[in-house]
Amino acid sequence: SQQGEEDPQALSIQEGENATMNCSYKTSINNLQWYRQNSGRGLVHLILIRSNEREKHSGRLRVTLDTSKKSSSLLITASRAADTASYFCATDAGTNAGKSTFGDGTTLTVKP
Amino acid sequence: DGGITQSPKYLFRKEGQNVTLSCEQNLNHDAMYWYRQDPGQGLRLIYYSQIVNDFQKGDIAEGYSVSREKKESFPLTVTSAQKNPTAFYLCASRPQGVGEQYFGPGTRLTVT
């Protein structure tokens, strides 16, 4: 079964609005990563948050982590049409040293 | 110019033939990974390697084989035993077995 599950599966917003997507996982983790994938391309790493961190920022991205609820959220502020992509979370769990587990992703469409 | 490369970008094969996908990195990373992605889905781990001459099965290793004879290279062979080989294949690497992964551009394999 997937360690990470994203919610919602698809999100459509207007340019300038904020986009929030969520990730839930099942077991304890060392860290959680968010990636972006443009259609037909490889994944690009966005941000990593460690299990002892609660919030991280990078430009227009804000990631939160709640280990008690085993969940994370990715907020993209002031979205642009160029943010249209699929977004995936991945977890490095302490018991699975060496491998990450990816969720099924959220497809974000930002309309100009 | 450091990075991770996959070739070819598109690959077509007849059913019953083995095919090898190339993955090369010049990032001096110890760990390398192969993932399979089906349309609208997340990434599933096929095989991974944390060090030269060693590799482990992922979640969907049946019908696939790998080798890790050099640090820079981690080729994946899709054998005729793989029931549904048509998919998008992604290779990734990272310095150690934890943290941010660097992805190649992917190879889209079509078997008819």
Side-chain angles (χ1 to χ4, degrees):
Chain A
S1 62
Q2 289 285 351
Q3 164 76 320
E5 296 183 3
E6 284 92 340
D7 168 59
Q9 287 188 334
L11 182 60
S12 182
I13 59 174
Q14 293 293 136
E15 211 166 23
E17 293 179 340
N18 294 345
T20 299
M21 50 205 89
N22 305 294
C23 169
S24 60
Y25 57 91
K26 296 186 173 73
T27 64
S28 64
I29 61 171
N30 289 326
N31 65 69
L32 185 145
Q33 308 135 49
W34 283 93
Y35 293 84
R36 166 198 170 116
Q37 183 182 34
N38 288 87
S39 182
R41 303 287 190 91
L43 277 69
V44 175
H45 179 260
L46 297 175
I47 198 164
L48 179 150
I49 187 164
R50 301 186 195 287
S51 60
N52 61 354
E53 298 175 311
R54 292 297 166 257
E55 188 171 312
K56 280 189 88 168
H57 296 257
S58 177
R60 293 183 296 113
L61 305 181
R62 173 178 169 254
V63 168
T64 62
L65 179 65
D66 187 334
T67 53
S68 66
K69 295 181 180 178
K70 291 188 171 57
S71 68
S72 173
S73 67
L74 170 67
L75 168 67
I76 304 174
T77 60
S79 63
R80 305 165 182 168
D83 294 328
T84 294
S86 292
Y87 293 82
F88 295 90
C89 67
T91 53
D92 285 338
T95 55
N96 290 330
K99 63 178 185 178
S100 302
T101 305
F102 285 79
D104 286 335
T106 292
T107 299
L108 173 66
T109 303
V110 181
K111 300 174 185 175
Chain B
D1 198 15
I4 181 165
T5 58
Q6 292 183 243
S7 60
K9 188 172 177 65
Y10 298 97
L11 192 52
F12 298 89
R13 280 293 183 270
K14 293 291 186 185
E15 198 172 311
Q17 293 179 333
N18 291 355
V19 59
T20 298
L21 282 59
S22 167
C23 178
E24 303 278 333
Q25 54 98 1
N26 61 2
L27 300 167
N28 200 35
H29 288 170
D30 286 316
M32 296 187 75
Y33 303 82
W34 274 107
Y35 296 94
R36 170 185 172 132
Q37 187 177 35
D38 292 288
Q41 303 293 312
L43 278 63
R44 291 186 290 168
L45 182 64
I46 305 172
Y47 268 99
Y48 64 110
S49 167
Q50 297 195 75
I51 197 167
V52 175
N53 293 322
D54 189 38
F55 49 83
Q56 289 80 40
K57 292 182 179 179
D59 301 316
I60 56 164
E62 186 175 347
Y64 300 97
S65 66
V66 293
S67 63
R68 185 87 188 274
E69 297 176 1
K70 298 186 299 182
K71 190 174 187 178
E72 303 80 23
S73 179
F74 191 40
L76 173 74
T77 296
V78 184
T79 75
S80 57
Q82 169 50 232
K83 301 299 180 200
N84 296 296
T86 294
F88 188 51
Y89 290 88
L90 286 160
C91 181
S93 70
R94 59 184 175 182
Q96 297 167 350
V98 64
E100 171 188 353
Q101 292 190 38
Y102 295 74
F103 281 82
T107 291
R108 189 166 299 280
L109 173 65
T110 302
V111 177
T112 57

